[in-house]
Each structure stands twice: as C-alpha cells, then as structure tokens.
C-alpha cells in the first residue's frame, strides 16, 4: 500500500478541515468561553422534583440575568452560568444575590408540589483571574511547542536534516490544536459547548499524545534509514508507516473506547476534558500517520520549497 504516494490528498483533507476551523474561529464569538476565561459565576442546583428548564430561565430573567445559560446536568440537576453575582454587604443591608436566586428557586410551584432545592452550590471567578488563566495557557502552549521542537531535533541528530523532524512534528501539533479549537468553536456556536480550564488540560494532553505518536513513527523511520542506506526517503517513510500503523490504530481505538465510556458514565465536570481528548485523539492519530511523516517526504522532494515560492515566502531561484 502506497501511503506516501497519496500525501497530497491527505494534505488537501487537512487543509479543508483547517480552513473550516479558521473560518469558524474568525466568526465572533470565536469560542464559547467559560467563567475561567471571562469571569462570572456558576450555580449547580438540584431539585426535589422535576423542574422545567424554561421555568428556571424565566426566574433568572426576572432577577436580571437574561444572559444566563442553563444546562441540564442529570435528573433534576442543572448547571447555570451567569455574570458575576453580588456579594452580601451587612453595612448596606444587601442580601447576597446567590441567596436571592436560591429563594426564588425554592418558591417555584409545580401544581401541588414545591420544587425544594436540595443542593445549591455557587462558584465565582473574577475577571483578573480569567485574564491570568488565558495568559498562562498561551505561555504554556508556546513553551511546550518550542521545547518539543528542540528535543526532537536533538534526539534525531544522527539522521540527515534532523531539524526537519522537529519542525514537522510541530506543524502536526499545530494542525491538531487548530482542529480541536475549530471543532469547539463550531460546537460552541451550535450546541453551546463551553471552553473552560479543563479544556486547557485536555489540549496539553492532546499535544503530549500527538507528539508521542509522531515520535514512534519517526523512530521507525530513523531505524529504517540505517537499514536501507541509499534508498529514497519516500520508500523508507512508506515502509515505516506500514510497520507502525497497526500499533497506532490499536492504541487509539483502545483509548477511544475508554473515553467514550467516561463521556457516558463520567461527571459533568470532566466532560469538556473528555471531548478534547476524543477530538484530539482522532486528529493526533491522523496527523502522526498522514501529516508529520509525509511532510518529511515533501520537504525532501522540494514540494515544500515550491509551495513557499508560490506564496512568495521564499525568493525565486535565479534562472541560469
């Protein structure tokens, strides 16, 4: 099977997916940010009887929170995201807004039953903390990418052009992160899926998995370069992919089954993390097989240089 010979098809598929991701990210809001990034409050509430979601929304609108996002989180349970709540102030005679909301929820009447609140938990994050979270997340991603590139370049220093291995791994990594961001952007616009602190944890986990899978393929390429001296890189890479593709797919399928089980059986608090892992696992497996290693061949054959010249990112070759 000639996987390397179909590399342009794989590049086109990735190009289309990345283009859709970029378009979605350019349409505001780029991502449906949680309170860890925007600042605000969340309320976890559980009722003794079944309460219609619309009734909660109406109660919050009456209390001055038309921006409230109400999400079912299980039987008679809801997860509510609103702007930052006012705290109690005894000197000014101000009752905390969370207590006012709890009292309103307690007073919801459903025929003969009163929807008594059995659990009411409130968490708040200030805008300053949210900005620090965003800054630290971006710094972590940049530092991790640079460290990975230099480590791979050093680890593969015994093969020709080791820097290409590091750059190819980073390009595959950027591909994976951009696809995850794009899909979360689309789901945020359509299904109101939020990006929270667990999202950052998930992205860093995806980076680790993607790079690990890529290094496994690169390591086999390094071994086959020594075993097949003088052979064209395209054949070496294709042989290496055929030898490692089974391992990559088996590992990914096993993890997919585990993640799917956790999505259906796990709690609401880790669901965003699991969605990132699910998307990142698929795109990470794809990029390690069909993007990172294929870039080495395209670089070797001059396709990368020709593409850069087409977009005027490299000077044209002087004509003889």
């Amino acid at each position: 099977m000639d996987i390397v010979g179909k590399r342009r098809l794989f590049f086109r598929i990735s190009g289309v997916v990345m283009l859709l991701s970029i378009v979605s990210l350019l349409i505001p809001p780029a991502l449906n940010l949680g309170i860890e990034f925007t600042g605000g409050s969340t309320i976890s509430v559980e009722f003794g009887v079944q309460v219609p979601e619309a009734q909660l929304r109406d109660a919050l609108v009456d209390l001055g929170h038309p921006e409230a996002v109400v999400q079912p989180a299980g039987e008679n349970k809801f997860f509510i995201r609103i702007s930052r709540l006012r705290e109690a102030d005894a000197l000014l005679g101000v009752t905390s807004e969370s207590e006012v909301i709890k009292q309103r929820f307690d007073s919801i009447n459903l025929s003969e039953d009163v929807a008594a609140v059995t659990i009411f938990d409130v968490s708040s994050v200030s805008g300053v903390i949210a900005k620090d979270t965003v800054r630290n997340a971006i710094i972590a991603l940049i530092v991790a990418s640079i460290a990975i590139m230099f480590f791979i370049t050093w680890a593969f220093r015994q093969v020709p052009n080791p820097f290409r291995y590091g750059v190819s791994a980073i390009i595959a990594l950027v591909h994976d992160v951009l696809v995850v961001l794009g899909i979360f952007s689309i789901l945020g616009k359509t299904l109101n899926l939020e990006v929270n602190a667990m999202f950052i944890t998930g992205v860093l986990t995806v980076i680790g998995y993607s790079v690990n899978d890529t290094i496994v393929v690169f390591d086999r390429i390094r071994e086959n370069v020594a075993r097949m001296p003088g052979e064209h890189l395209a054949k070496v890479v294709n042989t290496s992919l055929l030898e490692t593709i089974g391992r990559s797919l088996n590992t990914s399928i096993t993890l997919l089954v585990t993640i799917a089980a956790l999505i259906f059986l796990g709690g609401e608090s880790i669901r965003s993390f699991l969605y990132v892992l699910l998307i990142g696992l698929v795109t990470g497996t794809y990029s390690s097989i069909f993007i990172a290693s294929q870039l080495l061949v395209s670089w070797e054959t001059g396709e990368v240089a020709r593409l850069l010249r087409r977009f005027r990112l490299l000077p044209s070759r002087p004509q003889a």
Side-chain angles (χ1 to χ4, degrees):
M1 183 167 60
D2 186 11
I3 299 176
V4 172
K6 300 180 178 63
R7 61 184 179 278
R8 294 186 180 181
L9 172 63
F10 302 136
F11 291 157
R12 291 191 185 102
I13 293 173
S14 291
V16 171
V17 175
M18 292 175 69
L19 180 62
L20 292 174
S21 299
I22 293 172
V23 169
S24 180
L25 289 168
L26 290 176
I27 299 174
L31 295 166
N32 185 22
L33 300 177
I35 64 167
E36 292 92 340
F37 299 101
T38 61
S41 300
T42 60
I43 301 173
S44 297
V45 60
E46 181 178 354
F47 294 95
V49 297
Q50 187 174 3
V51 176
E53 184 179 327
Q55 205 157 355
L56 291 184
R57 294 182 188 277
D58 292 340
L60 290 165
V61 170
D62 292 342
L63 290 171
H65 287 285
E67 83 290 349
V69 176
V70 180
Q71 296 175 317
E75 187 177 0
N76 302 335
K77 297 179 182 178
F78 295 91
F79 182 79
I80 303 168
R81 174 177 175 266
I82 59 179
S83 57
R84 187 168 171 81
L85 294 169
R86 291 183 296 108
E87 300 295 334
D89 192 328
L91 295 177
L92 297 177
V94 176
T95 303
S96 69
E97 196 170 0
S98 61
E99 185 62 30
V100 174
I101 292 176
K102 184 178 185 301
Q103 291 172 4
R104 175 62 64 90
F105 286 169
D106 264 327
S107 67
I108 292 177
N109 251 322
L110 298 172
S111 299
E112 298 177 357
D113 295 320
V114 176
V117 175
T118 58
I119 295 177
F120 192 84
D121 182 53
V122 178
S123 299
S124 297
V125 177
S126 71
V128 174
I129 296 176
K131 291 179 181 178
D132 288 343
T133 303
V134 174
R135 187 189 68 238
N136 292 339
I138 293 173
I139 292 174
L141 289 173
I142 294 174
V143 171
S145 299
I146 294 173
I148 289 169
M149 183 180 68
F150 282 109
F151 172 76
I152 294 177
T153 301
W154 177 82
F156 289 85
R157 62 192 181 280
Q158 295 178 350
V159 299
N161 303 310
F163 183 69
R164 295 180 180 179
Y165 288 77
V167 173
S168 296
I170 294 303
I171 292 175
L173 185 153
V174 171
H175 165 275
D176 298 342
V177 172
L178 185 57
V179 171
V180 170
L181 288 172
I183 293 178
F184 260 76
S185 176
I186 295 171
L187 293 178
K189 293 178 173 65
T190 56
L191 300 179
N192 204 32
L193 185 63
E194 284 190 353
V195 171
N196 54 28
M198 294 301 293
F199 175 84
I200 300 300
T201 306
V203 169
L204 292 174
T205 304
V206 166
I207 288 174
Y209 174 83
S210 175
V211 171
N212 174 72
D213 212 21
T214 299
I215 288 178
V216 169
V217 178
F218 281 1
D219 196 51
R220 185 55 60 90
I221 293 174
R222 176 174 58 182
E223 293 175 358
N224 287 332
V225 165
R227 291 174 185 169
M228 306 163 63
E231 191 64 69
H232 194 277
L233 183 62
K235 184 175 181 180
V236 174
V237 170
N238 197 71
T239 301
S240 303
L241 288 175
L242 293 176
E243 292 174 352
T244 57
I245 193 170
R247 175 263 180 200
S248 296
L249 293 178
N250 289 336
T251 303
S252 299
I253 291 172
T254 303
L255 287 173
L256 281 174
V257 172
T258 305
I259 293 171
L262 287 172
I263 288 175
F264 288 110
L265 302 176
E268 184 70 26
S269 60
I270 63 170
R271 191 147 294 173
S272 178
F273 173 73
L274 294 174
Y275 287 150
V276 176
L277 289 188
L278 183 65
I279 299 167
L281 179 62
V282 174
T283 187
T285 303
Y286 175 87
S287 68
S288 64
I289 299 172
F290 301 114
I291 301 298
S293 53
Q294 313 282 13
L295 280 171
L296 294 175
V297 179
S298 294
W299 208 329
E300 180 73 16
T301 58
E303 293 175 1
V304 173
R306 287 195 293 271
L307 181 65
L308 293 177
R309 289 192 183 94
R310 182 180 300 176
F311 289 98
R312 301 182 184 278
L313 297 176
L314 277 181
S316 301
R317 286 182 176 178
Q319 297 181 354

